[in-house]
DNA sequence: CTGAAAGCGCTTACAG
DNA sequence: CTGAAAGCGCTTACAG
């Protein structure tokens, strides 16, 4: 068989058709599997593709199919503190999953409520679907996308009732961790510090915490529960109060709160877990590396990414997807609560 | 003026041409600025674009120009420890810069030496250029890309002599930080712990450290210098030795080493900076949040990303770019060395 | 099972 | 300064 393609140029459909003396139509069908092609012809095409090292020009394919083979992923650009690894992992597992199905992953940065990058991708019609890794509180991302008739999936809560979403079992996790702590501490000795309650995730955390008390039949020690704690000053004051109340175990809403708490404790000469036990409703490398390592709830960002990507691709390819998918959690019992 | 486009369909070039009674050629030229168009016609086209809310189909444009308007960014999927924020910030600033120039950013995950995602993007010809955020030691990424005749830029060192690269001034930074420490410590009291010396960055760090001693006229206390320290056990032993040698100041090669060191110190009941001073050649949130905050060298990931992206786009658009661009650093003097 | 031809929405040499 | 027409590399109704 002679090489038809000019030196240096990459082969295209026509080269294969010529080499085999058949039409481009047949070659195209042999590759895509759409329409009938005899097994023999199909095999010749496949062999020839190998020999000529053919690989389709995806832009041409995109153009003719009116399909980009791109998934846009909205990632917050201004993630604070320890959030970066979460979004990284999400993005990477999405991209891995997409790549396996021959889609590319386009990054869409979102700084606060600035949706200009999202708008750009939507206008230029360069994505077949959008994954939102952190929806805004006002649902504006979802609305913008839905307005362009592009399918989307969110990770975490969405204010939009018809959003397809994937999330972690925050409430159940928090309930389980609290239940564990209730086994080793007097209920009245447990304290809770949560961040802003306008965030759904913090409300879920509080629900899980409450549920565990309810299940155990114990009363929630209301004076040890601090919601909406945001600034460092508030936090410092909160820790002071918890210590004054002789609290033996502090549950922190997330890793950032937790790090701040242990810093306060260490500055007061209190040691973990001898003087006080500490746990966090959200894990991060910080908590794992701290000395002593801190008990925490872990939600797998990688699985969230993979699941979401698979869902997105299913939707694009016309299968239907469940409106809600909830993934599990892991309880990492470490030295801070022993 | 009447709306020509059918309801619900997005306008295209032809709609504008018809609405204005001119040819698509002219409309195209008015938009791109290529070829002469009278100012009046141009203005009418621009007005009509607004009115019809026209926005070009980028895939069609791509196809006809044989240009994707995509930049591929290779990001390590298996970044360890605190590296995530660095690559995140790089990626995000690249995407922001690209978006401003109407390019999209395609994520290419690289797990170890697995280049399958990179290969895919290259084969499908879906990127006009590639940015490598962390080249492999064997130059295989660069070679793969160069073999496909696609331009690329690396962040950090590259083994390939003709790579265009952007990097931080590691050596200079380490020299300056060491010089600062030499002002407040006896040269013989300073210790250094560096990771694997097969990494160029660690060699640069050592060079900077040495240079500072040379400049000050002091001798390097060889017995306090530990290179190639990797495991936790090695590290623990190293700290023991430095303490036995009555070392008053430990410089850590990076933030992970530094965190491990402070953990060892705290377990030995040593306090920073009273008993021993600590500094790191690489900053991260950990060091900033630690109590006390730790003196470190900061390299701006955002600037690296922006600069690299701008360079990449310049190359793609035919301008020529310097082979090497070195960005500065910041010295964050914090309580750990006071 | 196979093919000729139209079409996807732009850009651009070529001719005026 | 402007336009008719070809072309980018695929897919797919339509006809056989």
């Amino acid at each position: 068989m002679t090489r038809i393609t000019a030196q240096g140029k990459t082969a295209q459909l026509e080269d294969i058709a010529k080499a085999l003396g058949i039409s481009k139509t047949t070659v195209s069908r042999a590759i895509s599997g759409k329409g009938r092609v005899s097994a023999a012809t199909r095999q010749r095409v496949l062999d020839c593709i190998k020999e000529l090292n053919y690989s389709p020009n995806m832009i041409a394919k995109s153009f003719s199919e009116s399909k980009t083979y791109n998934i846009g992923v909205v990632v917050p650009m201004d993630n604070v503190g320890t959030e970066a690894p979460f979004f990284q992992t999400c993005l990477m597992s999405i991209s891995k999953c997409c790549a396996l199905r021959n889609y590319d992953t386009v990054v869409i940065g979102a700084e606060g409520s600035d949706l200009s990058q999202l708008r750009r991708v939507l206008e230029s019609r360069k994505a077949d679907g959008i994954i939102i890794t952190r929806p805004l509180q006002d649902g504006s991302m979802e609305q913008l996308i839905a307005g362009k008739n592009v399918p989307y999936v969110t990770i975490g809560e969405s204010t939009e009732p018809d959003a397809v979403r994937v999330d972690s079992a925050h409430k159940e996790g928090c309930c389980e961790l609290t239940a564990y702590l209730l086994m080793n501490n007097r209920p009245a000795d447990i304290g809770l510090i949560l961040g802003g309650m306008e965030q759904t995730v913090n409300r879920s955390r509080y629900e899980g915490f409450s549920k565990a008390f309810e299940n155990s039949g114990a009363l929630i020690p209301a004076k040890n529960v601090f919601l909406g704690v945001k600034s460092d000053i508030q936090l410092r004051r909160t820790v002071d109060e918890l210590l004054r109340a002789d609290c033996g175990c502090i549950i922190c809403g997330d890793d950032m709160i937790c790090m701040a708490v242990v810093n306060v404790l260490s500055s007061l000469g209190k040691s973990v877990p001898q003087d006080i036990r500490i746990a966090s409703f959200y894990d991060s490398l910080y908590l794992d590396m701290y000395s002593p390592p801190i008990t925490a709830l872990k939600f797998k960002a990688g699985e969230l990414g993979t699941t979401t990507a698979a869902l997105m691709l299913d939707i694009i390819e016309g299968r239907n997807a469940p409106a809600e998918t909830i993934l599990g959690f892991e309880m990492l019992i470490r030295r801070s609560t022993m």
Side-chain angles (χ1 to χ4, degrees), chain A:
Chain A
M1 186 160 298
T2 37
R3 279 202 138 226
I4 298 283
T5 51
Q7 295 295 334
K9 275 192 57 189
T10 54
Q12 50 192 65
L13 264 197
E14 184 155 28
D15 297 316
I16 302 193
K18 278 188 184 158
L20 261 35
I22 59 180
S23 73
K24 291 190 290 175
T25 308
T26 303
V27 177
S28 175
R29 283 201 275 250
I31 295 172
S32 68
K34 296 175 192 165
R36 327 199 136 291
V37 176
S38 76
T41 307
R42 191 177 147 72
Q43 196 46 246
R44 288 174 64 212
V45 169
L46 263 26
D47 291 346
C48 189
I49 283 177
K50 274 223 169 136
E51 177 163 4
L52 297 189
N53 193 24
Y54 170 77
S55 146
N57 179 329
M58 285 303 286
I59 295 293
K61 187 171 158 72
S62 284
F63 178 52
S64 96
E65 291 182 84
S66 299
K67 190 177 160 177
T68 64
Y69 290 97
N70 285 156
I71 300 297
V73 182
V74 183
V75 180
M77 298 187 69
D78 46 6
N79 47 55
V80 291
T82 58
E83 292 182 352
F86 175 83
F87 292 109
Q88 258 258 45
T89 307
C90 265
L91 182 62
M92 287 302 142
S93 50
I94 289 170
S95 114
K96 186 176 181 177
C97 184
C98 287
L100 288 174
R101 289 169 68 169
N102 212 29
Y103 281 73
D104 284 294
T105 305
V106 169
V107 187
I108 301 173
E111 258 181 301
S113 58
D114 174 7
L115 303 185
S116 54
Q117 279 198 48
L118 176 57
R119 212 168 274 121
R120 251 198 74 250
V121 171
L122 253 18
E123 302 257 280
S124 60
R125 283 156 282 171
K126 274 181 84 171
D128 299 332
I130 308 277
I131 292 174
I132 304 179
T133 62
R134 187 175 67 191
L136 293 176
Q137 310 254 4
D138 61 3
S140 52
M141 289 182 182
E142 293 92 321
Q143 285 156 22
L144 186 57
I145 301 168
K148 295 284 181 180
N149 255 312
V150 172
Y152 67 89
V153 180
T154 68
I155 294 183
E157 285 293 334
S158 173
T159 51
E160 302 307 288
D162 36 81
V164 171
R165 65 184 210 88
V166 178
D167 204 351
S168 300
H170 290 285
K171 180 178 166 185
E172 291 70 18
C174 294
C175 177
E176 206 161 298
L177 180 53
T178 306
Y180 162 77
L181 296 170
L182 278 167
M183 287 167 29
N184 304 298
N185 295 275
R186 290 180 35 211
D189 284 356
I190 292 179
L192 174 68
I193 307 180
L194 279 179
M197 295 305 281
E198 68 282 4
Q199 289 185 259
T200 317
V201 65
N202 281 333
R203 291 202 294 273
S204 302
R205 284 167 177 155
Y206 184 65
E207 284 171 22
F209 173 84
S210 304
K211 182 82 179 159
F213 273 80
E214 194 185 305
N215 290 348
S216 79
L219 280 180
I220 294 178
K223 67 173 189 0
N224 295 346
V225 173
F226 295 83
L227 309 180
V229 176
K230 291 180 176 176
S231 69
D232 266 8
I233 304 161
Q234 279 178 55
L235 200 126
R236 163 122 220 164
R237 231 178 262 150
T238 304
V239 174
D240 282 343
E241 284 204 45
L242 288 172
L243 289 176
R244 214 175 303 128
D246 240 0
C247 204
C249 174
I250 299 181
I251 305 179
C252 305
D254 61 40
D255 56 323
M256 291 302 286
I257 291 180
C258 194
M259 285 313 292
V261 166
V262 295
N263 279 339
V264 172
L265 291 175
S266 107
S267 75
L268 295 174
K270 300 284 178 188
S271 61
V272 178
Q274 294 81 350
D275 300 325
I276 192 155
R277 291 170 176 155
I278 299 289
S280 167
F281 278 163
Y282 195 85
D283 189 41
S284 76
L285 189 51
Y286 285 60
L287 304 187
D288 190 24
M289 294 213 350
Y290 192 73
S291 156
I294 293 168
T295 291
L297 230 39
K298 175 145 205 120
F299 301 98
K300 294 211 168 151
E303 256 179 55
L304 278 171
T306 306
T307 305
T308 308
L311 223 57
M312 181 82 263
L313 296 179
D314 283 351
I315 291 172
I316 288 173
E317 290 169 0
R319 268 152 284 176
N320 52 3
E324 191 175 83
T325 306
I326 303 294
L327 302 184
F329 55 89
E330 225 175 325
M331 238 173 67
L332 301 173
I333 306 298
R334 299 194 273 227
R335 286 203 284 118
S336 71
T337 54
M338 298 199 166

